[in-house]
């Protein structure tokens, strides 16, 4: 089954003479359980495309179906609920809250959401995902005391808390040195082996290609047709 079916997605920024198409007629299907890598240079439209397929940006032309639902027909509240329940995001910048502990950072989105789940249960699940990413001994640490790789592990744990069916990763190793980046690649690989989570990863780093079941190249807002 396809989790994502996109047809002729186009997203422009600027008006009149200054209008630029960041995403230019992209069609794409992503199947349940696959790891799709979209590879392309800085500025080719990767983040813009990922925001659209993640339901974060609705200002696009074309059609998009997520989990069998037509995004254009979904009210904002329903799209945001779908996102909250089924999609996890991992970004290049880890977006952790500096004044909260590792454990609190992972728990925070679940506590702020309207989901009526008790704090004790959220804490239990947060501890479990932090153990999975190898941070069981850093629960009380502040992000400032962690290495880049450890911070990205916290961000990955946070994205996994609600057991997303689809994980969208934007340059997940972009801020990491080579060795640390390798550890994150290994972590994604282990997570996929365990959870079979569908993943779409966009990057300009060639080394991520060994994770992928399928790789598409993006150039100037367009996806190259598969051979
Ligand atoms: P990538 O993630 O591949 O580096 P982006 O999707 O961030 O590329 O950007 C693609 C193009 O769209 C770039 O030319 C960028 O400047 C432009 N762009 C992206 N977001 C915006 C925005 N919010 N406003 C104006 N231009 C934007
Ligand atoms: Mg980007």
């Amino acid at each position: 089954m396809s989790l994502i079916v996109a047809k002729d997605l186009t997203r422009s920024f600027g008006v009149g003479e200054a209008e630029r198409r960041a995403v230019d007629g992209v069609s794409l299907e992503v199947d349940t359980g696959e790891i799709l890598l979209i590879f392309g240079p800085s500025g080719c439209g990767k983040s813009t495309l990922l925001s659209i397929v993640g339901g974060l940006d609705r200002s696009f032309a074309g059609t998009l179906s997520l989990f069998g639902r037509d995004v254009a027909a979904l009210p904002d509240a329903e799209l945001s609920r779908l996102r909250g329940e089924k999609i996890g995001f991992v970004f290049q910048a880890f977006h952790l809250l500096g004044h909260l502990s590792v454990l609190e950072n992972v728990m925070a989105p679940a506590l702020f959401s309207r989901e009526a789940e008790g704090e004790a249960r959220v804490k239990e699940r947060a501890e479990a995902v932090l153990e999975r990413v190898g941070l069981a001994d850093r629960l009380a640490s502040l992000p400032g005391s962690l290495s880049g790789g450890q911070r990205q592990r916290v961000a990955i744990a946070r994205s996994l808390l609600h057991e997303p069916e689809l994980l969208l990763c934007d340059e997940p190793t972009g801020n990491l040195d080579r060795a640390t980046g390798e550890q994150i690649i290994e972590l994604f690989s282990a997570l996929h082996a365990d959870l079979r989570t569908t993943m779409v990863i966009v990057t300009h780093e060639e080394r991520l290609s060994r994770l992928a079941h399928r790789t598409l190249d993006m150039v100037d807002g367009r996806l190259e047709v598969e051979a």
Side-chain angles (χ1 to χ4, degrees), residues 158-177:
R158 182 183 52 193
S159 77
L160 292 175
L161 188 74
H162 59 291
E163 297 170 359
E165 291 173 42
L166 173 64
L167 197 58
L168 300 178
C169 309
D170 192 345
E171 307 271 11
T173 54
N175 278 356
L176 304 175
D177 63 45

Side-chain angles (χ1 to χ4, degrees), residues 13-14 20-22 40-49 170-171 202:
F13 293 106
R20 295 277 177 281
R21 287 189 173 183
S42 177
C44 74
K46 303 184 296 298
S47 296
T48 306
L49 177 61
D170 192 345
E171 307 271 11
V202 304

Side-chain angles (χ1 to χ4, degrees), residues 26 83 107 118 120 136 149 216 225:
V26 165
R83 216 171 47 223
M107 292 174 65
L216 295 172
V225 181

Side-chain angles (χ1 to χ4, degrees), residues 3-4 6 9 28 46-58 60 64-67 71 74 76 78-89 91 166-169 200 202:
L3 288 195
I4 301 174
L9 295 180
L28 177 68
K46 303 184 296 298
S47 296
T48 306
L49 177 61
L50 209 63
S51 302
I52 294 172
V53 300
L56 291 168
D57 176 4
R58 327 186 51 149
F60 59 86
L64 173 65
S65 145
L66 287 177
F67 302 94
V71 167
L74 287 180
D76 285 346
E78 278 210 50
L79 179 59
S80 115
R81 193 157 56 101
L82 184 78
R83 216 171 47 223
E85 285 174 0
K86 295 187 185 286
I87 304 179
F89 293 90
F91 299 99
L166 173 64
L167 197 58
L168 300 178
C169 309
V200 179
V202 304

